[in-house]
Amino acid sequence: MKSLVIVYFVAVCLCFTAVANDESYRILPGASPVVEAASPTGRLYGENHLKRLKALGIEVSDTIVSSPAFSLRILNHWDNLDGTVERGYAGKSLWNWDELPAKVSPRYAEYAAMCAAVGINGTVLNNVNASSNILTYEYLEKVKALADVFRPYGMKVYLSANFAAPMQIGGLPDADPLNKDVVVWWGDKVKEIYQLIPDFGGFLVKANSEGQPGPCDFGRSHAQGANMLASVIRPYGGIIMWRAFVYSPGDADRAKQAYLEFKPLDGEFEDNVIVQIKNGPVDFQPREPFSPLLVDMPGTLTMPELQITQEYLGHSNHLAYLAPMWSELFSFVSPESQAGVAGVANIGDSYNFTSHPFARANWYAFGRLAWDPSLSPEQIAREWVALELKPSSKKSEDRIVDMMIRSREAVVDYMMPMGLHHLFAFGHHYGPEPWCDPEGAREDWLPRYYHRADSVGIGFDRTQTGSDAVSQYPLPYSEEYASIEKCPEEYLLWFHHVGWSDRITTGETLWEALCHHYERGVNETEKFIEDWNACEQDIADKVLFADVAERLEIQAKDARWWKDACLLYFQEINGLEFPDFVTPAVRTLDEYKAVDLGIDNFTCPSGKLLDSMR
Ligand code: GCW
C-alpha cells in the first residue's frame, strides 16, 4: 500500500494546478473527512473519490483539491438500434430499445454509477454510423428515459446524428446545410429534444466518412455543416462533436487525409463545435504516432478520440491494458490544448459489462485518465486491481499490475511491431492477414498498402521521398521522424521503407529485429499464463480466475498465429532464413492463409467459439 500513498500524494499536488470548475471538489482531512463542492456533481465525484481511498485503505492526511483536466469526458457507444454493437465484443447493446421507455433496466443505473466513479460525464448512446430513427419522437422518448436515469450521476446524454436525417425522416429533398428548410427542420428537431431532455448534451457527427452522408454531398465544407448544427443547438447550450475521421481512395496517403481536409478549415468552426480526432492518423492501430491534427488547429476546439473497445487489439479475448497507450498520446498532445476526450466504449450487456474481466480496467482507466492524464498507468492499474480483483497478497497484486503494464507492448510485438500497421484480416480485424487481397477491395483497406513489403525491404516511406506525411508534424517530430537514424524504433516502419538486411540502432538487421519482436510478444503471452496461475491462491473469485485463464490461453495461441503467419509471409517475400531464436511455426503459410473465422465484419463471437473454429 505504501507505493499507492506516495503516488497519490503526487497526483493530488498536480491536481492543485488544474482549473477549478463546478465539477471540482475538496476533501478535508479528519477522523471523518468532509467533502466540499460547488455542485451536486462535484460532491458526488468527491464522495466517490473518498470511497475509493477508503477501499484502498488510504487515509486523507492533507486536504485534497481536485478538478478534471478535460471538461468533456465522454463515452461513444457504437450501438445500433437493432441491439448489435459495431466493434462490440461484450454481447449485445446495453440499451434495450424494445423495452424502453416502459421498462428501465437496473443495469442502466449500475452503468452510470460506474461512469461516475471515475468521473465520466457524458455518453453518446448510438453508433456514429447513425440510423436517423434515433431522432424520431418514438426513440427520443426512450432516450429521455435513459437521460433521466443518468442525470443524478452527472452524466449527460448525447446522440450521433445522421447528416441526412432531414431527408431520411423529414421528407426533405436534400440536407444541404445552407437550405433554409433544412435549418428549420434541425431547429424544430432540436427544440423537440430539449423539451424532453432539458440538459441534452448535443450531437456527434460522422460526415462524409466511410459512406456516411455529409455537407460535402451538397458542395459544402465540414465547417459549414458543423456550424449549421451548432447554430441551431447554441440557444440550448448544446455542442456539436464533428469527427475528423475522413479518407477516400485517391492519391494521398490515408495517414495524411484528415489533416489535409481539416487543417485548411482551422478557425472556421463555431465555438460550440469540437472537432473530434482519432488519436493516430490512420485508425486505432495497436500503435500509431499521434495525429498531427491534434496539435495544429489553434483556432478550433479539438478533442482526441480513443478506442476502449479492442477492435484492433484482440477483441475481448486478449488482455491489453490500454492506459500506457493513452498516456503515450498525452506525452505528445498536451491535455490543456484539448476541449475534451472521447472513448469508444467496450461495454455491452455481458454479465460484467465488458466480457473480458480485464477489459473493465480499460473503462476504469479511461475515466481516471480523462480526469487526470498525469496519473501513471501503473497507479491506475494498482487501484483497479486492488478494488476489483482484490488479491489477498501484495505479491500477487504486483504480479498482476506488472502483467497489465506489459500487456499493450506484448500485443504490439506479436501483432505489428516497429511501426507496422493494418496487417489485419479484412472485415473483422481479429487475426493476421498481411496477404489479404479480396476481389474489388479498395487499395487503402488492404494490408499491402500499409506494410509495402517487397524483396528490398518493408515499411511505408512517409518521408520526403515518399508520401511526406512527416511534414505534417511540428518540430522536433518532423525532423526526428524523417530521419531513419533518429526515428524511434516503434515508428520506424510507419515512416520508412527499410532494407531487410539494414542494421538498425540495436545493431541487429531489420529482419532479426522484427523476428525478435514477434518472438518476444509470444513469450510474453506465455509468461502471462504463468503469472496468472501463480496468483490462483490469492484470487477469491474462482469463476473470474478461470475466465481469465481461459482467455489467456486463447491469447497465447493467437499470438503464435500472428507471429507465424506474419513471419512466414514476410519470409516468403524476402527469402531470408529465420534467426536461430525463432521458434518453428505451428502450421505452414498455406494453412494459415486458409484460416477462415467465418465471422462477420463487425461483431465477434465469444472466445470459445472462435477457438473452436481456428
Ligand atoms: O475503425 C473503423 C471501424 C468502423 C468504424 C470506423 C469509425 C463506426 O472499423 O467500424 O465505424 O472506424 O470510426 O467511424
Side-chain angles (χ1 to χ4, degrees), residues 78 86-87 127-129 206 209-210 212 243 245 247 254 278 282-285 305 307 311-312 344 422 427 429 601-602:
W78 286 355
E86 183 157 341
R87 311 304 181 185
N127 191 356
V128 287
N129 291 329
K206 171 174 176 176
S209 159
E210 297 187 330
Q212 292 300 312
R243 295 177 90 226
F245 179 62
Y247 63 100
R254 173 168 167 191
K278 288 192 182 184
V282 172
D283 189 7
F284 297 138
Q285 298 301 290
E305 176 179 313
Q307 197 179 41
E311 173 180 358
Y312 294 103
V344 180
H422 234 306
H429 298 165
N601 278 359
F602 298 122

PDB file of all heavy atoms in Angstrom, residues 78 86-87 127-129 206 209-210 212 243 245 247 254 278 282-285 305 307 311-312 344 422 427 429 601-602, ligand 1:
ATOM      1  N   TRP A  78     -20.981   2.628 -29.968  1.00  0.00           N
ATOM      2  CA  TRP A  78     -21.274   2.352 -31.380  1.00  0.00           C
ATOM      3  C   TRP A  78     -22.417   1.341 -31.438  1.00  0.00           C
ATOM      4  O   TRP A  78     -22.337   0.306 -32.098  1.00  0.00           O
ATOM      5  CB  TRP A  78     -20.022   1.840 -32.100  1.00  0.00           C
ATOM      6  CG  TRP A  78     -18.982   2.903 -32.372  1.00  0.00           C
ATOM      7  CD1 TRP A  78     -19.085   4.243 -32.137  1.00  0.00           C
ATOM      8  CD2 TRP A  78     -17.681   2.709 -32.969  1.00  0.00           C
ATOM      9  NE1 TRP A  78     -17.939   4.893 -32.538  1.00  0.00           N
ATOM     10  CE2 TRP A  78     -17.066   3.977 -33.057  1.00  0.00           C
ATOM     11  CE3 TRP A  78     -16.986   1.588 -33.437  1.00  0.00           C
ATOM     12  CZ2 TRP A  78     -15.779   4.153 -33.583  1.00  0.00           C
ATOM     13  CZ3 TRP A  78     -15.717   1.763 -33.963  1.00  0.00           C
ATOM     14  CH2 TRP A  78     -15.125   3.043 -34.038  1.00  0.00           C
ATOM     15  N   GLU A  86     -21.470  -2.194 -33.179  1.00  0.00           N
ATOM     16  CA  GLU A  86     -20.361  -2.224 -34.147  1.00  0.00           C
ATOM     17  C   GLU A  86     -19.053  -2.255 -33.362  1.00  0.00           C
ATOM     18  O   GLU A  86     -18.824  -1.431 -32.471  1.00  0.00           O
ATOM     19  CB  GLU A  86     -20.426  -0.987 -35.059  1.00  0.00           C
ATOM     20  CG  GLU A  86     -19.350  -1.007 -36.124  1.00  0.00           C
ATOM     21  CD  GLU A  86     -19.681  -0.155 -37.355  1.00  0.00           C
ATOM     22  OE1 GLU A  86     -20.869   0.166 -37.571  1.00  0.00           O
ATOM     23  OE2 GLU A  86     -18.737   0.176 -38.091  1.00  0.00           O
ATOM     24  N   ARG A  87     -18.224  -3.234 -33.686  1.00  0.00           N
ATOM     25  CA  ARG A  87     -16.940  -3.437 -32.998  1.00  0.00           C
ATOM     26  C   ARG A  87     -17.122  -3.647 -31.496  1.00  0.00           C
ATOM     27  O   ARG A  87     -16.278  -3.242 -30.691  1.00  0.00           O
ATOM     28  CB  ARG A  87     -15.982  -2.262 -33.221  1.00  0.00           C
ATOM     29  CG  ARG A  87     -15.831  -1.825 -34.666  1.00  0.00           C
ATOM     30  CD  ARG A  87     -15.413  -2.931 -35.577  1.00  0.00           C
ATOM     31  NE  ARG A  87     -15.255  -2.474 -36.955  1.00  0.00           N
ATOM     32  CZ  ARG A  87     -14.981  -3.295 -37.964  1.00  0.00           C
ATOM     33  NH1 ARG A  87     -14.866  -4.596 -37.771  1.00  0.00           N
ATOM     34  NH2 ARG A  87     -14.832  -2.831 -39.181  1.00  0.00           N
ATOM     35  N   ASN A 127     -24.491   4.523 -32.416  1.00  0.00           N
ATOM     36  CA  ASN A 127     -23.377   4.405 -33.355  1.00  0.00           C
ATOM     37  C   ASN A 127     -23.199   5.669 -34.216  1.00  0.00           C
ATOM     38  O   ASN A 127     -24.187   6.250 -34.677  1.00  0.00           O
ATOM     39  CB  ASN A 127     -23.676   3.198 -34.269  1.00  0.00           C
ATOM     40  CG  ASN A 127     -22.493   2.784 -35.114  1.00  0.00           C
ATOM     41  OD1 ASN A 127     -21.450   3.426 -35.100  1.00  0.00           O
ATOM     42  ND2 ASN A 127     -22.671   1.697 -35.857  1.00  0.00           N
ATOM     43  N   VAL A 128     -21.954   6.017 -34.476  1.00  0.00           N
ATOM     44  CA  VAL A 128     -21.679   7.141 -35.390  1.00  0.00           C
ATOM     45  C   VAL A 128     -22.137   6.830 -36.818  1.00  0.00           C
ATOM     46  O   VAL A 128     -22.420   7.746 -37.588  1.00  0.00           O
ATOM     47  CB  VAL A 128     -20.185   7.539 -35.396  1.00  0.00           C
ATOM     48  CG1 VAL A 128     -19.812   8.262 -34.127  1.00  0.00           C
ATOM     49  CG2 VAL A 128     -19.282   6.334 -35.632  1.00  0.00           C
ATOM     50  N   ASN A 129     -22.189   5.554 -37.157  1.00  0.00           N
ATOM     51  CA  ASN A 129     -22.868   5.164 -38.401  1.00  0.00           C
ATOM     52  C   ASN A 129     -24.345   5.149 -38.011  1.00  0.00           C
ATOM     53  O   ASN A 129     -24.917   4.114 -37.689  1.00  0.00           O
ATOM     54  CB  ASN A 129     -22.410   3.779 -38.872  1.00  0.00           C
ATOM     55  CG  ASN A 129     -20.968   3.808 -39.341  1.00  0.00           C
ATOM     56  OD1 ASN A 129     -20.487   4.817 -39.852  1.00  0.00           O
ATOM     57  ND2 ASN A 129     -20.254   2.699 -39.169  1.00  0.00           N
ATOM     58  N   LYS A 206     -20.579  11.830 -37.772  1.00  0.00           N
ATOM     59  CA  LYS A 206     -19.607  11.238 -38.703  1.00  0.00           C
ATOM     60  C   LYS A 206     -20.118  11.605 -40.086  1.00  0.00           C
ATOM     61  O   LYS A 206     -21.145  11.092 -40.535  1.00  0.00           O
ATOM     62  CB  LYS A 206     -19.572   9.722 -38.514  1.00  0.00           C
ATOM     63  CG  LYS A 206     -18.765   8.963 -39.571  1.00  0.00           C
ATOM     64  CD  LYS A 206     -18.658   7.469 -39.234  1.00  0.00           C
ATOM     65  CE  LYS A 206     -17.949   6.675 -40.305  1.00  0.00           C
ATOM     66  NZ  LYS A 206     -17.755   5.249 -39.943  1.00  0.00           N
ATOM     67  N   SER A 209     -17.699  10.274 -44.398  1.00  0.00           N
ATOM     68  CA  SER A 209     -16.671   9.341 -43.953  1.00  0.00           C
ATOM     69  C   SER A 209     -17.224   7.935 -44.117  1.00  0.00           C
ATOM     70  O   SER A 209     -18.337   7.662 -43.665  1.00  0.00           O
ATOM     71  CB  SER A 209     -16.364   9.637 -42.480  1.00  0.00           C
ATOM     72  OG  SER A 209     -15.763   8.549 -41.836  1.00  0.00           O
ATOM     73  N   GLU A 210     -16.484   7.094 -44.796  1.00  0.00           N
ATOM     74  CA  GLU A 210     -16.877   5.694 -45.000  1.00  0.00           C
ATOM     75  C   GLU A 210     -18.335   5.574 -45.458  1.00  0.00           C
ATOM     76  O   GLU A 210     -19.107   4.773 -44.926  1.00  0.00           O
ATOM     77  CB  GLU A 210     -16.638   4.877 -43.725  1.00  0.00           C
ATOM     78  CG  GLU A 210     -15.171   4.821 -43.342  1.00  0.00           C
ATOM     79  CD  GLU A 210     -14.856   3.887 -42.180  1.00  0.00           C
ATOM     80  OE1 GLU A 210     -15.721   3.710 -41.310  1.00  0.00           O
ATOM     81  OE2 GLU A 210     -13.745   3.343 -42.157  1.00  0.00           O
ATOM     82  N   GLN A 212     -20.848   7.629 -45.134  1.00  0.00           N
ATOM     83  CA  GLN A 212     -21.897   8.387 -44.424  1.00  0.00           C
ATOM     84  C   GLN A 212     -22.164   9.712 -45.157  1.00  0.00           C
ATOM     85  O   GLN A 212     -21.246  10.314 -45.718  1.00  0.00           O
ATOM     86  CB  GLN A 212     -21.464   8.686 -42.987  1.00  0.00           C
ATOM     87  CG  GLN A 212     -21.369   7.457 -42.102  1.00  0.00           C
ATOM     88  CD  GLN A 212     -22.693   6.725 -41.977  1.00  0.00           C
ATOM     89  OE1 GLN A 212     -23.725   7.336 -41.723  1.00  0.00           O
ATOM     90  NE2 GLN A 212     -22.673   5.409 -42.181  1.00  0.00           N
ATOM     91  N   ARG A 243     -16.589  14.676 -36.260  1.00  0.00           N
ATOM     92  CA  ARG A 243     -15.414  13.783 -36.389  1.00  0.00           C
ATOM     93  C   ARG A 243     -14.550  14.146 -37.604  1.00  0.00           C
ATOM     94  O   ARG A 243     -15.071  14.500 -38.665  1.00  0.00           O
ATOM     95  CB  ARG A 243     -15.859  12.333 -36.482  1.00  0.00           C
ATOM     96  CG  ARG A 243     -16.525  11.871 -35.204  1.00  0.00           C
ATOM     97  CD  ARG A 243     -17.022  10.461 -35.351  1.00  0.00           C
ATOM     98  NE  ARG A 243     -16.056   9.459 -34.974  1.00  0.00           N
ATOM     99  CZ  ARG A 243     -15.790   8.372 -35.691  1.00  0.00           C
ATOM    100  NH1 ARG A 243     -16.357   8.166 -36.860  1.00  0.00           N
ATOM    101  NH2 ARG A 243     -14.925   7.478 -35.256  1.00  0.00           N
ATOM    102  N   PHE A 245     -12.528  11.904 -38.909  1.00  0.00           N
ATOM    103  CA  PHE A 245     -12.106  10.610 -39.462  1.00  0.00           C
ATOM    104  C   PHE A 245     -12.559  10.521 -40.917  1.00  0.00           C
ATOM    105  O   PHE A 245     -13.595   9.958 -41.231  1.00  0.00           O
ATOM    106  CB  PHE A 245     -12.719   9.493 -38.610  1.00  0.00           C
ATOM    107  CG  PHE A 245     -12.381   8.101 -39.089  1.00  0.00           C
ATOM    108  CD1 PHE A 245     -11.069   7.660 -39.126  1.00  0.00           C
ATOM    109  CD2 PHE A 245     -13.382   7.229 -39.485  1.00  0.00           C
ATOM    110  CE1 PHE A 245     -10.769   6.386 -39.563  1.00  0.00           C
ATOM    111  CE2 PHE A 245     -13.091   5.942 -39.920  1.00  0.00           C
ATOM    112  CZ  PHE A 245     -11.777   5.521 -39.960  1.00  0.00           C
ATOM    113  N   TYR A 247     -11.314   9.883 -45.033  1.00  0.00           N
ATOM    114  CA  TYR A 247     -10.300   9.441 -46.000  1.00  0.00           C
ATOM    115  C   TYR A 247     -11.055   8.880 -47.188  1.00  0.00           C
ATOM    116  O   TYR A 247     -12.172   8.392 -47.053  1.00  0.00           O
ATOM    117  CB  TYR A 247      -9.365   8.382 -45.397  1.00  0.00           C
ATOM    118  CG  TYR A 247     -10.049   7.099 -45.008  1.00  0.00           C
ATOM    119  CD1 TYR A 247      -9.993   5.978 -45.847  1.00  0.00           C
ATOM    120  CD2 TYR A 247     -10.769   6.990 -43.833  1.00  0.00           C
ATOM    121  CE1 TYR A 247     -10.639   4.797 -45.500  1.00  0.00           C
ATOM    122  CE2 TYR A 247     -11.423   5.824 -43.484  1.00  0.00           C
ATOM    123  CZ  TYR A 247     -11.357   4.735 -44.317  1.00  0.00           C
ATOM    124  OH  TYR A 247     -12.001   3.583 -43.975  1.00  0.00           O
ATOM    125  N   ARG A 254      -3.359   7.728 -46.898  1.00  0.00           N
ATOM    126  CA  ARG A 254      -4.503   7.807 -45.985  1.00  0.00           C
ATOM    127  C   ARG A 254      -4.137   8.521 -44.682  1.00  0.00           C
ATOM    128  O   ARG A 254      -4.953   9.250 -44.109  1.00  0.00           O
ATOM    129  CB  ARG A 254      -5.019   6.386 -45.696  1.00  0.00           C
ATOM    130  CG  ARG A 254      -6.092   6.387 -44.632  1.00  0.00           C
ATOM    131  CD  ARG A 254      -6.811   5.072 -44.543  1.00  0.00           C
ATOM    132  NE  ARG A 254      -7.611   5.028 -43.332  1.00  0.00           N
ATOM    133  CZ  ARG A 254      -8.196   3.955 -42.856  1.00  0.00           C
ATOM    134  NH1 ARG A 254      -8.094   2.811 -43.508  1.00  0.00           N
ATOM    135  NH2 ARG A 254      -8.902   3.990 -41.752  1.00  0.00           N
ATOM    136  N   LYS A 278      -9.253  11.107 -34.069  1.00  0.00           N
ATOM    137  CA  LYS A 278      -8.698   9.853 -33.548  1.00  0.00           C
ATOM    138  C   LYS A 278      -7.251  10.069 -33.105  1.00  0.00           C
ATOM    139  O   LYS A 278      -6.535  10.880 -33.699  1.00  0.00           O
ATOM    140  CB  LYS A 278      -8.773   8.750 -34.599  1.00  0.00           C
ATOM    141  CG  LYS A 278     -10.195   8.249 -34.828  1.00  0.00           C
ATOM    142  CD  LYS A 278     -10.238   6.965 -35.658  1.00  0.00           C
ATOM    143  CE  LYS A 278     -11.701   6.559 -35.871  1.00  0.00           C
ATOM    144  NZ  LYS A 278     -11.848   5.277 -36.580  1.00  0.00           N
ATOM    145  N   VAL A 282      -4.280   7.096 -38.695  1.00  0.00           N
ATOM    146  CA  VAL A 282      -4.970   6.100 -39.514  1.00  0.00           C
ATOM    147  C   VAL A 282      -6.234   5.607 -38.821  1.00  0.00           C
ATOM    148  O   VAL A 282      -7.321   6.126 -39.051  1.00  0.00           O
ATOM    149  CB  VAL A 282      -4.029   4.960 -39.962  1.00  0.00           C
ATOM    150  CG1 VAL A 282      -4.794   3.824 -40.637  1.00  0.00           C
ATOM    151  CG2 VAL A 282      -3.020   5.501 -40.974  1.00  0.00           C
ATOM    152  N   ASP A 283      -6.102   4.655 -37.908  1.00  0.00           N
ATOM    153  CA  ASP A 283      -7.339   4.113 -37.352  1.00  0.00           C
ATOM    154  C   ASP A 283      -7.103   3.172 -36.181  1.00  0.00           C
ATOM    155  O   ASP A 283      -7.179   1.951 -36.357  1.00  0.00           O
ATOM    156  CB  ASP A 283      -8.103   3.383 -38.471  1.00  0.00           C
ATOM    157  CG  ASP A 283      -9.500   2.974 -38.050  1.00  0.00           C
ATOM    158  OD1 ASP A 283      -9.918   3.367 -36.954  1.00  0.00           O
ATOM    159  OD2 ASP A 283     -10.167   2.257 -38.816  1.00  0.00           O
ATOM    160  N   PHE A 284      -6.855   3.689 -34.991  1.00  0.00           N
ATOM    161  CA  PHE A 284      -6.829   2.890 -33.764  1.00  0.00           C
ATOM    162  C   PHE A 284      -5.937   1.640 -33.840  1.00  0.00           C
ATOM    163  O   PHE A 284      -6.307   0.576 -33.332  1.00  0.00           O
ATOM    164  CB  PHE A 284      -8.243   2.447 -33.391  1.00  0.00           C
ATOM    165  CG  PHE A 284      -9.201   3.557 -33.071  1.00  0.00           C
ATOM    166  CD1 PHE A 284     -10.507   3.526 -33.539  1.00  0.00           C
ATOM    167  CD2 PHE A 284      -8.816   4.628 -32.284  1.00  0.00           C
ATOM    168  CE1 PHE A 284     -11.418   4.528 -33.225  1.00  0.00           C
ATOM    169  CE2 PHE A 284      -9.717   5.641 -31.960  1.00  0.00           C
ATOM    170  CZ  PHE A 284     -11.018   5.585 -32.433  1.00  0.00           C
ATOM    171  N   GLN A 285      -4.805   1.751 -34.533  1.00  0.00           N
ATOM    172  CA  GLN A 285      -3.923   0.591 -34.623  1.00  0.00           C
ATOM    173  C   GLN A 285      -3.239   0.337 -33.274  1.00  0.00           C
ATOM    174  O   GLN A 285      -3.212   1.226 -32.415  1.00  0.00           O
ATOM    175  CB  GLN A 285      -2.879   0.847 -35.719  1.00  0.00           C
ATOM    176  CG  GLN A 285      -3.502   1.014 -37.100  1.00  0.00           C
ATOM    177  CD  GLN A 285      -4.284  -0.219 -37.499  1.00  0.00           C
ATOM    178  OE1 GLN A 285      -3.703  -1.266 -37.760  1.00  0.00           O
ATOM    179  NE2 GLN A 285      -5.606  -0.123 -37.528  1.00  0.00           N
ATOM    180  N   GLU A 305     -10.093  11.234 -29.826  1.00  0.00           N
ATOM    181  CA  GLU A 305     -10.995  10.081 -29.699  1.00  0.00           C
ATOM    182  C   GLU A 305     -10.119   8.849 -29.493  1.00  0.00           C
ATOM    183  O   GLU A 305      -9.258   8.544 -30.324  1.00  0.00           O
ATOM    184  CB  GLU A 305     -11.840   9.947 -30.976  1.00  0.00           C
ATOM    185  CG  GLU A 305     -12.742   8.724 -30.991  1.00  0.00           C
ATOM    186  CD  GLU A 305     -13.598   8.642 -32.270  1.00  0.00           C
ATOM    187  OE1 GLU A 305     -14.211   9.657 -32.674  1.00  0.00           O
ATOM    188  OE2 GLU A 305     -13.643   7.552 -32.872  1.00  0.00           O
ATOM    189  N   GLN A 307      -9.956   4.594 -28.494  1.00  0.00           N
ATOM    190  CA  GLN A 307     -10.831   3.432 -28.641  1.00  0.00           C
ATOM    191  C   GLN A 307     -10.620   2.493 -27.456  1.00  0.00           C
ATOM    192  O   GLN A 307      -9.548   1.921 -27.286  1.00  0.00           O
ATOM    193  CB  GLN A 307     -10.562   2.698 -29.964  1.00  0.00           C
ATOM    194  CG  GLN A 307     -11.711   1.753 -30.337  1.00  0.00           C
ATOM    195  CD  GLN A 307     -11.493   1.025 -31.654  1.00  0.00           C
ATOM    196  OE1 GLN A 307     -10.397   0.591 -31.940  1.00  0.00           O
ATOM    197  NE2 GLN A 307     -12.538   0.861 -32.451  1.00  0.00           N
ATOM    198  N   GLU A 311     -11.049  -3.249 -30.954  1.00  0.00           N
ATOM    199  CA  GLU A 311     -11.257  -3.633 -32.351  1.00  0.00           C
ATOM    200  C   GLU A 311      -9.984  -4.214 -32.960  1.00  0.00           C
ATOM    201  O   GLU A 311     -10.027  -5.202 -33.687  1.00  0.00           O
ATOM    202  CB  GLU A 311     -11.707  -2.409 -33.166  1.00  0.00           C
ATOM    203  CG  GLU A 311     -11.781  -2.695 -34.653  1.00  0.00           C
ATOM    204  CD  GLU A 311     -12.219  -1.487 -35.495  1.00  0.00           C
ATOM    205  OE1 GLU A 311     -12.513  -0.428 -34.931  1.00  0.00           O
ATOM    206  OE2 GLU A 311     -12.253  -1.626 -36.737  1.00  0.00           O
ATOM    207  N   TYR A 312      -8.864  -3.570 -32.678  1.00  0.00           N
ATOM    208  CA  TYR A 312      -7.588  -3.978 -33.280  1.00  0.00           C
ATOM    209  C   TYR A 312      -6.642  -4.557 -32.231  1.00  0.00           C
ATOM    210  O   TYR A 312      -5.440  -4.575 -32.446  1.00  0.00           O
ATOM    211  CB  TYR A 312      -6.933  -2.773 -33.951  1.00  0.00           C
ATOM    212  CG  TYR A 312      -7.688  -2.208 -35.146  1.00  0.00           C
ATOM    213  CD1 TYR A 312      -8.436  -1.042 -35.043  1.00  0.00           C
ATOM    214  CD2 TYR A 312      -7.633  -2.833 -36.386  1.00  0.00           C
ATOM    215  CE1 TYR A 312      -9.100  -0.510 -36.150  1.00  0.00           C
ATOM    216  CE2 TYR A 312      -8.295  -2.312 -37.497  1.00  0.00           C
ATOM    217  CZ  TYR A 312      -9.025  -1.146 -37.368  1.00  0.00           C
ATOM    218  OH  TYR A 312      -9.675  -0.622 -38.471  1.00  0.00           O
ATOM    219  N   VAL A 344     -14.311   5.261 -27.329  1.00  0.00           N
ATOM    220  CA  VAL A 344     -15.303   4.347 -27.921  1.00  0.00           C
ATOM    221  C   VAL A 344     -15.483   3.179 -26.944  1.00  0.00           C
ATOM    222  O   VAL A 344     -14.529   2.439 -26.665  1.00  0.00           O
ATOM    223  CB  VAL A 344     -14.861   3.851 -29.309  1.00  0.00           C
ATOM    224  CG1 VAL A 344     -15.914   2.924 -29.884  1.00  0.00           C
ATOM    225  CG2 VAL A 344     -14.599   5.021 -30.238  1.00  0.00           C
ATOM    226  N   HIS A 422      -2.048  -2.184 -39.684  1.00  0.00           N
ATOM    227  CA  HIS A 422      -3.121  -2.691 -40.538  1.00  0.00           C
ATOM    228  C   HIS A 422      -2.791  -3.998 -41.262  1.00  0.00           C
ATOM    229  O   HIS A 422      -3.082  -4.149 -42.450  1.00  0.00           O
ATOM    230  CB  HIS A 422      -3.556  -1.626 -41.553  1.00  0.00           C
ATOM    231  CG  HIS A 422      -5.045  -1.389 -41.484  1.00  0.00           C
ATOM    232  ND1 HIS A 422      -5.949  -2.413 -41.606  1.00  0.00           N
ATOM    233  CD2 HIS A 422      -5.764  -0.259 -41.281  1.00  0.00           C
ATOM    234  CE1 HIS A 422      -7.163  -1.914 -41.485  1.00  0.00           C
ATOM    235  NE2 HIS A 422      -7.087  -0.613 -41.269  1.00  0.00           N
ATOM    236  N   GLY A 427     -12.244  -6.931 -42.731  1.00  0.00           N
ATOM    237  CA  GLY A 427     -13.557  -7.010 -42.086  1.00  0.00           C
ATOM    238  C   GLY A 427     -13.519  -7.102 -40.584  1.00  0.00           C
ATOM    239  O   GLY A 427     -13.743  -6.112 -39.909  1.00  0.00           O
ATOM    240  N   HIS A 429     -11.058  -7.707 -38.396  1.00  0.00           N
ATOM    241  CA  HIS A 429      -9.931  -7.103 -37.682  1.00  0.00           C
ATOM    242  C   HIS A 429      -9.475  -7.902 -36.469  1.00  0.00           C
ATOM    243  O   HIS A 429      -9.066  -7.323 -35.460  1.00  0.00           O
ATOM    244  CB  HIS A 429     -10.283  -5.662 -37.244  1.00  0.00           C
ATOM    245  CG  HIS A 429     -10.555  -4.749 -38.393  1.00  0.00           C
ATOM    246  ND1 HIS A 429     -11.163  -3.528 -38.269  1.00  0.00           N
ATOM    247  CD2 HIS A 429     -10.314  -4.891 -39.720  1.00  0.00           C
ATOM    248  CE1 HIS A 429     -11.276  -2.945 -39.445  1.00  0.00           C
ATOM    249  NE2 HIS A 429     -10.775  -3.762 -40.358  1.00  0.00           N
ATOM    250  N   ASN A 601     -18.238  -8.806 -40.278  1.00  0.00           N
ATOM    251  CA  ASN A 601     -17.360  -7.661 -40.180  1.00  0.00           C
ATOM    252  C   ASN A 601     -17.280  -7.021 -38.810  1.00  0.00           C
ATOM    253  O   ASN A 601     -16.261  -6.517 -38.422  1.00  0.00           O
ATOM    254  CB  ASN A 601     -17.865  -6.574 -41.143  1.00  0.00           C
ATOM    255  CG  ASN A 601     -17.388  -6.846 -42.535  1.00  0.00           C
ATOM    256  OD1 ASN A 601     -16.678  -7.822 -42.747  1.00  0.00           O
ATOM    257  ND2 ASN A 601     -17.758  -6.007 -43.454  1.00  0.00           N
ATOM    258  N   PHE A 602     -18.376  -6.985 -38.133  1.00  0.00           N
ATOM    259  CA  PHE A 602     -18.408  -6.059 -37.026  1.00  0.00           C
ATOM    260  C   PHE A 602     -18.482  -6.662 -35.636  1.00  0.00           C
ATOM    261  O   PHE A 602     -18.102  -6.049 -34.677  1.00  0.00           O
ATOM    262  CB  PHE A 602     -19.558  -5.079 -37.223  1.00  0.00           C
ATOM    263  CG  PHE A 602     -19.374  -4.261 -38.463  1.00  0.00           C
ATOM    264  CD1 PHE A 602     -20.303  -4.265 -39.465  1.00  0.00           C
ATOM    265  CD2 PHE A 602     -18.216  -3.515 -38.624  1.00  0.00           C
ATOM    266  CE1 PHE A 602     -20.110  -3.510 -40.613  1.00  0.00           C
ATOM    267  CE2 PHE A 602     -18.012  -2.765 -39.772  1.00  0.00           C
ATOM    268  CZ  PHE A 602     -18.956  -2.762 -40.773  1.00  0.00           C
TER     269      PHE A 602
HETATM  270  O1  GCW B   1     -12.159   1.705 -37.221  1.00  0.00           O
HETATM  271  C1  GCW B   1     -13.179   1.883 -38.137  1.00  0.00           C
HETATM  272  C2  GCW B   1     -14.139   0.785 -37.850  1.00  0.00           C
HETATM  273  C3  GCW B   1     -15.564   1.093 -38.239  1.00  0.00           C
HETATM  274  C4  GCW B   1     -15.927   2.425 -37.588  1.00  0.00           C
HETATM  275  C5  GCW B   1     -14.994   3.495 -38.133  1.00  0.00           C
HETATM  276  C6  GCW B   1     -15.243   4.849 -37.489  1.00  0.00           C
HETATM  277  C7  GCW B   1     -18.021   3.145 -36.687  1.00  0.00           C
HETATM  278  O2  GCW B   1     -13.674  -0.369 -38.468  1.00  0.00           O
HETATM  279  O3  GCW B   1     -16.360   0.048 -37.781  1.00  0.00           O
HETATM  280  O4  GCW B   1     -17.263   2.758 -37.802  1.00  0.00           O
HETATM  281  O5  GCW B   1     -13.670   3.158 -37.853  1.00  0.00           O
HETATM  282  O6  GCW B   1     -14.518   5.180 -36.562  1.00  0.00           O
HETATM  283  O7  GCW B   1     -16.134   5.551 -37.902  1.00  0.00           O
END
